[in-house]
Amino acid sequence: MSNLFARFAKDESGATAIEYGLIAALIAVVVITTLTAVGTSLNAKLVKVKEGLNK
C-alpha cells in the first residue's frame, strides 16, 4: 500500500496537464482582453468616419 502512495506522489503527468491548462487559460484571457481593447478603439474610429461622412 505504501508503494502505491509513493508512486502516486512521484507521478507528475497530471501536474503537467494542469500547467498546460493554466497556460492556455492565461493566453485566452490575454487574447480576449486585447481583442476587446482593439475592438473598442476600432469602433470609435469608425464612428468618427461615419460622422465625417454625414456632414
Side-chain angles (χ1 to χ4, degrees):
M1 189 61 129
S2 63
N3 187 19
L4 178 67
F5 289 122
R7 282 189 314 171
F8 180 74
K10 290 180 183 180
D11 185 17
E12 295 182 2
S13 62
T16 304
I18 291 172
E19 290 168 357
Y20 285 138
L22 290 173
I23 290 169
L26 179 63
I27 290 171
V29 168
V30 169
V31 167
I32 290 168
T33 304
T34 302
L35 291 178
T36 301
V38 168
T40 303
S41 175
L42 181 61
N43 188 35
K45 288 188 187 284
L46 290 175
V47 167
K48 286 182 182 179
V49 170
K50 178 184 170 190
E51 290 172 355
L53 292 173
N54 287 335
K55 287 184 178 181

